[in-house]
Amino acid sequence: MNKLETALRDLSEMDTLASGSSCIHRLHPAAKLIATAAYILVVVSFHKYNLGGLLPMGLWPVVLFQLSGIPIRTCFYKLRIVLPLVMAVGLFNPFLDHTVLYTVGNIAVWGGVVSMITLMLKGVFCLMAAFLLAATTPIDVLCGALRMMHVPGMLVTLLLLTCRYAGILTEEASVMTQAYELRAPGQKGIHISAWGSFLGQLLLRSMDRAQELYDSMLLRGYHEHFHYAPIPRFRVKDALFLAFSGAFFALVRMLPVVQLLGSFAVQ
């Protein structure tokens, strides 16, 4: 199985995850979207040296993963390509910031080390929250919630078509890759001399496929607007989810939770 086939399988598995029936899946999509956006804003607002304040924010996605029945390892596996890039964001901070923040015994802890770990955790937490939203909310339901929140229809349509037909482009690239491998057995990847023609053929095939899809949409009554999936009513449990999430974010952001728990433990 080549990388493109693996990508197609991952897209299919994401659709399967989003079609679950847990209590998190059944929440109103607008509530999950607002809570996720608020979570990301709060996470990125922490100071680069405030590692102790940031750590409790990891509880929110961990608890929701447990309630949704999606293993956390699935999140890290699906994001295995993006995570190294996120982890590399603050990799050079220890070499640039030698401010001594703490002293553990005779070991001085530099501010660059703390800021590096803080940046890495911010990226990981934000990716976990975004993955949780995508893994518990089908894309058509999410787009319907965006339209309900008066997001411009053009942007929502663009998002929906991109997510819905990314698999088709990947499928075309997979077919072309398999055809190339049959004509060049034993060769690893596509030779650099064939990159131009390969991309040109992929563009032409994609344009033909896009025209066929657009014609099919017109035959089914498409007139610049989609009929999105039905959105359930905003219920009491959705309001409670937003209220508890907002209260947790405010508590962790405004109070030094780790220090308070440490002081209680000492007493």
Side-chain angles (χ1 to χ4, degrees):
M1 182 179 293
N2 58 35
K3 294 182 179 180
L4 292 174
E5 290 175 339
T6 303
L8 285 172
R9 184 191 64 186
D10 290 342
L11 288 174
S12 176
E13 289 176 354
M14 286 298 295
D15 292 337
T16 303
L17 290 175
S19 61
S21 58
S22 70
C23 59
I24 304 300
H25 286 82
R26 294 193 297 270
L27 286 172
H28 197 280
K32 289 186 283 186
L33 180 61
I34 294 172
T36 302
Y39 176 82
I40 293 174
L41 288 175
V42 173
V43 165
V44 300
S45 70
F46 280 88
H47 192 268
K48 63 179 180 178
Y49 294 149
N50 193 4
L51 178 59
L54 177 64
L55 286 174
M57 291 297 294
L59 292 175
W60 188 77
V62 169
V63 170
L64 293 190
F65 270 112
Q66 296 299 319
L67 293 177
S68 64
I70 301 175
I72 297 181
R73 64 177 180 272
T74 302
C75 170
F76 291 130
Y77 177 76
K78 297 294 185 185
L79 300 175
R80 61 190 180 277
I81 298 177
V82 183
L83 278 174
L85 300 176
V86 172
M87 301 292 283
V89 170
L91 205 57
F92 294 100
N93 283 23
F95 303 101
L96 302 175
D97 187 357
H98 294 170
T99 304
V100 178
L101 295 182
Y102 314 106
T103 303
V104 182
N106 295 326
I107 302 175
V109 180
W110 289 349
V113 175
V114 176
S115 63
M116 177 187 69
I117 299 174
T118 303
L119 285 174
M120 289 180 176
L121 285 179
K122 283 183 180 181
V124 172
F125 289 167
C126 291
L127 284 177
M128 289 175 66
F131 178 86
L132 184 65
L133 176 64
T136 58
T137 314
I139 185 60
D140 53 342
V141 176
L142 183 60
C143 289
L146 288 173
R147 285 299 296 137
M148 187 185 70
M149 297 168 64
H150 302 288
V151 176
M154 181 64 70
L155 296 179
V156 177
T157 299
L158 181 61
L159 173 64
L160 179 62
L161 291 178
T162 301
C163 295
R164 185 174 286 179
Y165 298 120
I168 295 177
L169 177 62
T170 308
E171 183 180 354
E172 291 291 338
S174 177
V175 170
M176 292 179 59
T177 302
Q178 290 178 357
Y180 181 87
E181 291 175 349
L182 291 174
R183 290 172 174 80
Q187 180 176 309
K188 276 190 159 184
I190 300 173
H191 194 269
I192 189 172
S193 61
W195 285 5
S197 59
F198 185 89
L199 292 176
Q201 288 294 324
L202 179 61
L203 175 62
L204 293 175
R205 290 170 65 95
S206 301
M207 291 173 63
D208 292 340
R209 197 67 184 272
Q211 186 61 47
E212 293 175 0
L213 288 171
Y214 183 67
D215 293 340
S216 300
M217 290 162 57
L218 293 178
L219 290 173
R220 287 169 173 79
Y222 171 72
H223 296 290
E224 299 183 0
H225 296 286
F226 279 104
H227 296 287
Y228 300 100
I231 305 299
R233 294 180 59 185
F234 200 88
R235 293 157 292 185
V236 175
K237 66 177 183 179
D238 303 315
L240 289 175
F241 170 74
L242 273 179
F244 280 118
S245 296
F248 174 77
F249 300 159
L251 177 67
V252 174
R253 188 64 184 89
M254 297 174 64
L255 298 178
V257 178
V258 174
Q259 296 179 10
L260 292 176
L261 291 177
S263 63
F264 289 148
V266 171
Q267 294 175 2

